[in-house]
Amino acid sequence: MSISAVTGHKDTPLLNLTDVTKRYPGGRLALGGVSLGVGRGETVGLVGESGSGKSTLARLALGLLAPDTGSVRFAGHDPYRLRGLSARAVRGRLQFVPQNPGGSLNPGLRAGEAVAFPLGLHGVPRRDRPQAVAALFQRVGLDPGLARRYPRELSGGQLQRVAIARALAPGPELLVCDEPTSALDRTVQAQVLDLLVELQDTAGIGCLFISHDLAVVRHLADRVLVLRHGQVVEERPVADLWRAPRHPYTRALLAAAGDEPADLP
């Protein structure tokens, strides 16, 4: 059994995974006994190598998979078992920001139409959607005029901001971000990360941020969980983990990233 991560410290956790186990087809372990909580306005970073179970955990959190054992709860509900209007209402509070926004956006829809779609699902009248889309574009630092463009006409950074705007449309309380900056250059990556920090600070949106990039997680997270072979081997506040990592695997990840343990300002 892995170490159990403590619950989100900023408030009663919105997202709780308790002793979750999941196996791949064929029986290979994807996650074994993982527990974590994410509170309102808190960003929890989840790091680990490819194949460590990060994306499986994201799919469980979003209700796209059911755990083999253990439980997943968002705002007291099992997101996998929700149906109909209840599913729409609860899942509007829990949104996803993908690794590849270009692949997640319909190439036949303009960027503004992609953002307007969830507004319609969540009851915003058609006449009010253009103004709401413009406000969402401004919120993520995009010129509202870009709403008329197709995904192929936008840069990688613009596409990721569109994806964030689409995720913000239903008014979520928590975002699950799966490697959302890995395809961006460092400058654009920093801009997107600053946007996520601002959303956390100004809107109180919680975030489960999944990445293999320790520098990105250090910039963004309040707490960090280190995942190895489907188990949490270490969970610490971000400053403590970088100052004095406890597990040999964590120390190896930091050394491989050229980021030896050191005091943080």
Side-chain angles (χ1 to χ4, degrees), residues 5-9 36-39 41-47 175 177 200 206-211 217 220-225 235-236:
V6 298
T7 57
H9 65 273
L36 67 85
V38 184
E42 180 184 30
T43 294
V44 174
L46 184 68
V47 300
L175 299 176
C177 302
Q200 178 189 26
C207 182
L208 176 60
F209 190 93
I210 298 167
S211 180
V217 171
L220 190 68
D222 298 298
R223 291 188 293 119
V224 182
L225 286 77
E235 182 276 325
R236 308 280 298 286

Side-chain angles (χ1 to χ4, degrees), residues 7 23 65 113-114 119 140 192 262:
T7 57
R23 292 186 178 275
L65 289 176
E113 293 172 325
L119 291 172
V140 300
V192 172

Side-chain angles (χ1 to χ4, degrees), residues 176-225:
V176 176
C177 302
D178 190 2
E179 303 272 10
T181 62
S182 62
L184 306 177
D185 65 47
R186 285 291 178 180
T187 300
V188 178
Q189 185 181 86
Q191 293 170 351
V192 172
L193 292 174
D194 286 344
L195 169 62
L196 291 171
V197 170
E198 180 184 353
L199 292 171
Q200 178 189 26
D201 291 342
T202 62
I205 296 175
C207 182
L208 176 60
F209 190 93
I210 298 167
S211 180
H212 67 278
D213 191 326
L214 291 166
V216 167
V217 171
R218 184 181 188 181
H219 178 84
L220 190 68
D222 298 298
R223 291 188 293 119
V224 182
L225 286 77

